[in-house]
Amino acid sequence: MEEKVKKLLEQDVNKLGVSIDSVVYEKEGGNYFLRIVIDRDEPIDIDTCVEVTNVINPLLDKADFISDSYILDVSTKEKGVKDEQ
């Protein structure tokens, strides 16, 4: 299922100048999480994570192949996200 999600999202995410490093669908406690890790050569700020989330959310909703309720978690491969203010 992770590969299916990656294939669905990859083209639109690449248009934003980032790539999908990994996709993991897992249950943690009582919740399911769809964790998408993004990467690029330069640091990724929080605004980029939000932009990616805003692009992929409607794609996932339209595809509707995940039957469980889940929490979408888009994060960066880096240890810390650069918060530019």
Side-chain angles (χ1 to χ4, degrees), residues 9-82:
L9 306 177
E10 205 161 31
Q11 185 176 3
D12 288 280
V13 170
N14 289 346
K15 289 178 186 175
L16 300 174
V18 298
S19 61
I20 296 176
D21 183 70
S22 64
V23 176
V24 178
Y25 185 68
E26 62 188 350
K27 188 170 187 178
E28 194 174 288
N31 296 313
Y32 286 96
F33 287 85
L34 179 60
R35 300 186 194 280
I36 299 174
V37 178
I38 58 174
D39 194 21
R40 70 176 175 199
D41 290 337
E42 56 273 353
I44 296 174
D45 60 20
I46 193 76
D47 292 334
T48 303
C49 289
V50 170
E51 185 179 12
V52 170
T53 301
N54 290 339
V55 166
I56 66 176
N57 231 345
L59 295 171
L60 291 167
D61 288 346
K62 185 176 180 182
D64 196 29
F65 54 78
I66 302 174
S67 58
D68 301 306
S69 291
Y70 62 90
I71 298 167
L72 177 61
D73 178 15
V74 176
S75 60
T76 177
K77 188 175 177 179
E78 301 165 11
K79 296 208 187 270
V81 176
K82 184 178 177 186

